[in-house]
Amino acid sequence: MTHALYSRLLDIHTGSHETVVDLTRDLETFLASAADDRDGLLNVFVPHATAGIAILETGAGSDEDLLAALHDLLPADDRWRHRHGAPGHGRDHVLPALVPPHATLPVVGGTLELGTWQSVCLVDTNRDNPNRQVRASFLG
């Protein structure tokens, strides 16, 4: 069996507010052309020091709950030593320790294997950077 690596960079506009962006459809579109009905692994990586990738339910309030929990854990105030950017921006640099900048997911028959309510999401609390890139890589 021949294995191949396919990779694509996704440009995501996150705006100037803390946000959770559902990437699932973009990743399914990528897999439709890259996986060709094969089994393999999808790696999702955000090459930014202030964003992460999370697997969670969206649309039922969990995305807002995640942002609220992160705000409680990482308040946007002046306690942070990392002080450039908007007030409290230092906390954005701590985010990837809690919400990692990557996820690796199974692909079966060219389809992303997620649970019924799971979505792959970009988590961005950095209000100073409205544009992000996400690298999707399929190995199969």
Side-chain angles (χ1 to χ4, degrees):
M1 178 189 321
T2 302
H3 293 283
L5 175 68
Y6 298 90
S7 187
R8 181 176 298 155
L9 199 57
L10 307 172
D11 292 312
I12 308 295
H13 181 74
T14 57
S16 60
H17 300 285
E18 298 176 6
T19 190
V20 174
V21 179
D22 190 340
L23 302 173
T24 309
R25 285 192 179 135
D26 292 327
L27 297 172
E28 289 170 341
T29 299
F30 165 69
L31 287 172
S33 62
D36 195 32
D37 297 326
R38 293 189 314 264
D39 294 351
L41 295 172
L42 174 67
N43 182 265
V44 183
F45 175 72
V46 56
H48 298 281
T50 59
I53 300 294
I55 310 300
L56 73 152
E57 179 181 5
T58 60
S62 296
D63 36 356
E64 291 90 358
D65 289 341
L66 174 60
L67 291 175
L70 290 171
H71 198 272
D72 289 345
L73 289 169
L74 305 171
D77 58 22
D78 64 358
R79 73 182 70 198
W80 307 101
R81 291 184 181 99
H82 188 109
R83 295 191 185 268
H84 79 272
H89 174 65
R91 64 116 181 200
D92 299 326
H93 287 274
V94 176
L95 173 76
L98 301 175
V99 181
H102 59 86
T104 300
L105 305 158
V107 175
V108 177
T111 301
L112 189 56
E113 283 289 298
L114 292 171
T116 302
W117 303 112
Q118 290 180 315
S119 296
V120 183
C121 299
L122 170 66
V123 179
D124 187 3
T125 59
N126 182 355
R127 298 171 308 217
D128 294 338
N129 188 353
N131 298 302
R132 298 299 187 156
Q133 292 185 319
V134 175
R135 168 84 50 198
S137 301
F138 173 74
L139 176 63

